[in-house]
Each structure stands twice: as structure tokens, then as C-alpha cells.
Amino acid sequence: MTIEWRYTIHPGLGVLSLAGFLGQEAVGRFQGAVGWALARGTGPVVLDLTGLRGWSDGGRLAVSEAALRLAAEGRGLELAAVPGSGAPGAGSGAGADGGFGDGKVVVTVHGDLAAALAAHRDRGVEEREWRSDAWPEDA
């Protein structure tokens, strides 16, 4: 099982949405999606987990590594709609330390994508979107 992803540019940030299960076999695809976001956007990346059915320890580690990778490029990672067990060490509100990267970076956690977007709202700028071929149409 793998993931599908969609990347959307919003004013001042990018949203990387995932669907499926982020397990060890999907890590390479996830890392590629993060690379896509790095190459095509600016500002923080909101990782929208609304469509994620779950994630393994390897998937959580990949998200930790993505946070460090983004931080190395001067960009932040924020999580929206964390599934089931949540982010390691995370509370359930905006501004919670996700515990990623052994405390080297702070990951803001939002209850859902709407809350994440509201935290960054800047009207009047064009949105653009890309997605993998099998992205579910109803997501």
C-alpha cells in the first residue's frame, strides 16, 4: 500500500495533502513529494493528513525527517488533521510541539486544514495545485 499526494500553493505557504497509509513502503514517494514542495513553493509546508488512513513508525520518522529537511531550507512544517495516535508528543492544538527531530525543530499542529489555512490567510493571491495520477477525486 502506498500514498497519493497533492501539492497546492496558497498565499505564503504550500499544502501537501496525503491520502492512503504512510508506511515504510510509501516513504520514498513521500520524500519525493516533499522534494516537489521544496522546489515549487515558499514559506511553510502544511502537511494535510485529512485523507491519511494511518501511519507506521517509519511514516512518522519520515515526517520527522521532512521537518528537518524543510528547516534546513529555511521553511517550516506544520501538521493538519493528525490521524489516530497523533504526532509523537503532540498536543491537539495549534502551536503544539510535535516532538519531531529530537527537539531540533518545532512542528505546529492544527486540528484541521481549515485552521491551518486560517492561521496563514492572505487574500488575493493565485492558488496552484499538482497531484499524483491516482489522487482520489472525492478527497
Side-chain angles (χ1 to χ4, degrees), residues 4-10 12-18 32-48 70 75-76 127-132 135:
E4 297 300 328
W5 63 269
R6 175 180 65 200
Y7 183 67
T8 307
I9 295 175
H10 290 267
L13 73 134
V15 175
L16 179 58
S17 301
L18 301 182
V34 171
W36 183 276
L38 272 169
R40 286 163 181 81
T42 60
V45 173
V46 174
L47 186 58
D48 174 21
L70 287 160
R75 298 179 65 189
E127 279 186 20
R128 297 184 68 195
E129 178 178 288
W130 297 267
R131 60 186 163 171
S132 55
W135 179 257

Side-chain angles (χ1 to χ4, degrees), residues 22-120:
L22 182 55
Q24 192 60 44
E25 63 280 354
V27 166
R29 188 173 192 138
F30 172 69
Q31 290 170 336
V34 171
W36 183 276
L38 272 169
R40 286 163 181 81
T42 60
V45 173
V46 174
L47 186 58
D48 174 21
L49 304 175
T50 303
L52 201 65
R53 289 192 304 266
W55 50 2
S56 68
D57 289 341
R60 283 189 206 76
L61 179 60
V63 172
S64 298
E65 292 168 351
L68 293 170
R69 184 176 174 192
L70 287 160
E73 297 294 326
R75 298 179 65 189
L77 179 70
E78 301 180 15
L79 302 180
V82 176
S85 62
S92 61
D97 179 350
F100 290 110
D102 297 326
K104 295 178 186 172
V105 296
V106 173
V107 176
T108 301
V109 178
H110 302 278
D112 58 22
L113 181 57
L117 294 175
H120 295 280

